[in-house]
Amino acid sequence: MNSPQIINAPLLLIKGLSVSFETPLGRVKAAEDVCLEMQDGETLALVGETGCGKSVVAGAIMQLLPHNACVQGRAIFGGRDLLGLDEREMARIRGSEISIVFQNPSLALNPIMRVGEQIAEMLRVHKNISRNRSLRMAEDMLRRLGMVEKEKARMYPFQFSGGMNQRVMIATSMILSPRIIIADEPSKGLDGTLAREVMAEMASIKDQMGASLLLITHDLMLAKDVSDRMAVMYCGEIVEIGKSREIFSNPLHPYTIALLGCLPERGFQPIPGSSPSMINPPIGCKFHPRCQQCREKCRRKQKMTKVEGRREVPGKDECTDREVRCWLY
Ligand SMILES: Nc1ncnc2c1ncn2[C@@H]1O[C@H](COP(=O)(O)OP(=O)(O)O)[C@@H](O)[C@H]1O
Ligand SMILES: [Mg+2]
């Protein structure tokens, strides 16, 4: 008997997500026709330069965007469209089924509440767990994130370094064992080694919980180290998506090639030109004014196309799952 289709249904399916903002200068098209799938247990990295629309995608699916945002599309999770839920239903999902770690702990943490209490509050509010038990669970989560001394849970955010507060945020986001954790620039403000340490701890707890991680970052090396698949975003659009190691070993979209070329280990080559305006973006491929392969047809809209027949290991019949928004492929 054929297994029912539902088994293969992705954990989260984002389809045709477009977000624009009305501003006094015009309409900012921050995300356009974004399509992404997240499978159970996987880590998907959403990468691209600052301002390309990564946080807007996360904000849209969590319904955390300001009122001047116009959101279209679908985000199917557990058979329901998150974009159509009312605030009460969404509040139930936030934190318990999908949680988000923001990039700035000093804005997200309550300065006058002990960190252990902040983490434990999630358990009390969502799961009705007693004060004592929730505090013990909070201490345990902090310990798993490398904060071993019990008295750490009784301290306030201002007594901690940036890295320690980042761990508190991560503990808060994971304490309810959500199915999906969205980490928006979790390494911002931390130095390289510390960022990797925090990320490794987070990835290991996420694996133990069987959760999926959407890692939003402009740090390509971090994405490469942690993610299974990677989506590259440019000026509000996904231009390439595929397995992270394949994108690194064989980038296809001219923007992905240029972005990887900016890495110090790959020659530090800046991309010519500058990021386009999101109010009046270039018509057709948004990268065409900066692309060395630009032809007349680049001025027409490009579709995401599955790239068939390219394999990481020659002779190995493996499907690459790569999609690219460029007529070259
Ligand atoms: N509330 C808002 N009003 C107007 N424009 C916004 C708003 N929020 C974000 N933007 C714009 O949307 C674009 C994408 O922003 P963002 O998703 O924060 O980028 P990233 O996370 O990739 O750095 C940027 O051009 C930003 O200026
Ligand atoms: Mg951002």
Side-chain angles (χ1 to χ4, degrees):
M1 209 177 80
N2 285 340
S3 33
Q5 283 257 305
I6 195 99
I7 288 179
N8 295 325
L11 181 60
L12 174 68
L13 175 67
I14 302 174
K15 237 174 139 60
L17 176 67
S18 296
V19 180
S20 59
F21 295 98
E22 284 307 335
T23 73
L25 297 178
R27 204 153 63 94
V28 176
K29 298 178 200 87
E32 269 193 88
D33 196 21
V34 169
C35 297
L36 286 174
E37 278 183 27
M38 279 197 82
Q39 304 298 338
D40 241 333
E42 82 166 337
T43 296
L44 173 68
L46 184 56
V47 304
E49 291 159 297
T50 301
C52 73
K54 306 180 297 296
S55 297
V56 159
V57 169
I61 56 183
M62 296 297 272
Q63 285 198 27
L64 289 172
L65 293 177
H67 289 301
N68 64 337
C70 167
V71 180
Q72 286 173 313
R74 283 178 297 159
I76 309 296
F77 173 74
R80 299 201 294 170
D81 183 1
L82 296 175
L83 307 184
L85 298 184
D86 63 30
E87 180 48 34
R88 201 172 49 93
E89 293 171 305
M90 201 60 220
R92 210 176 295 144
I93 287 182
R94 268 187 228 119
S96 65
E97 294 192 62
I98 308 179
S99 68
I100 184 156
V101 185
F102 293 103
Q103 63 188 44
N104 194 341
S106 52
L107 290 180
L109 293 174
N110 183 341
I112 54 163
M113 199 172 178
R114 296 178 201 274
V115 295
E117 297 273 2
Q118 301 200 33
I119 302 165
E121 192 180 35
M122 296 289 286
L123 292 161
R124 288 203 290 274
V125 171
H126 285 268
K127 300 229 161 130
N128 212 9
I129 294 178
S130 75
R131 183 164 188 274
N132 277 343
R133 196 165 149 240
S134 58
L135 275 172
R136 276 201 311 278
M137 289 168 77
E139 281 168 11
D140 185 53
M141 184 54 91
L142 286 173
R143 190 182 45 72
R144 288 165 75 185
L145 282 158
M147 291 165 71
V148 283
E149 303 91 355
K150 269 194 178 170
E151 55 276 17
K152 288 266 168 27
R154 288 193 290 274
M155 292 169 85
Y156 291 93
F158 68 83
Q159 295 176 289
F160 281 166
S161 65
M164 273 150 84
N165 277 332
Q166 196 65 9
R167 286 179 161 100
V168 174
M169 299 258 295
I170 293 170
T172 313
S173 76
M174 291 177 132
I175 195 77
L176 297 173
S177 304
R179 304 285 306 279
I180 301 177
I181 300 153
I182 302 174
D184 191 352
E185 304 279 5
S187 58
K188 218 171 189 167
L190 306 183
D191 75 57
T193 327
L194 185 60
R196 268 152 188 74
E197 214 177 280
V198 172
M199 210 51 234
E201 288 159 357
M202 186 176 182
S204 125
I205 301 175
K206 164 232 158 241
D207 283 345
Q208 286 165 25
M209 293 188 332
S212 303
L213 174 65
L214 177 61
L215 171 65
I216 294 178
T217 183
H218 69 285
D219 182 343
L220 290 169
M221 294 315 282
L222 184 74
K224 176 179 182 248
D225 289 348
V226 206
S227 65
D228 305 301
R229 287 191 308 127
M230 190 183 279
V232 182
M233 205 167 174
Y234 182 76
C235 193
E237 284 183 331
I238 306 279
V239 295
E240 178 158 6
I241 185 160
K243 294 197 177 91
S244 307
R245 65 177 160 83
E246 290 181 8
I247 288 189
F248 262 80
S249 62
N250 181 25
L252 297 179
H253 195 283
Y255 175 64
T256 315
I257 296 172
L259 191 65
L260 290 176
C262 296
L263 289 170
E265 34 296 75
R266 297 197 181 196
F268 228 164
Q269 279 290 324
I271 307 176
S274 52
S275 297
S277 138
M278 280 185 154
I279 293 179
N280 285 308
I283 309 286
C285 170
K286 292 180 176 172
F287 188 60
H288 85 254
R290 304 172 79 184
C291 182
Q292 290 176 354
Q293 318 243 34
C294 179
R295 306 279 186 283
E296 194 47 41
K297 52 181 137 186
C298 302
R299 293 172 209 279
R300 290 196 292 272
K301 194 158 176 61
Q302 304 291 311
K303 286 194 307 227
M304 278 302 257
T305 319
K306 263 203 160 58
V307 180
E308 310 278 357
R310 280 169 191 269
R311 295 177 202 112
E312 170 79 349
V313 184
K316 212 170 164 209
D317 220 8
E318 188 189 351
C319 171
T320 65
D321 296 332
R322 187 90 69 98
E323 287 182 55
V324 187
R325 195 185 291 279
C326 178
W327 60 265
L328 282 168
Y329 303 97

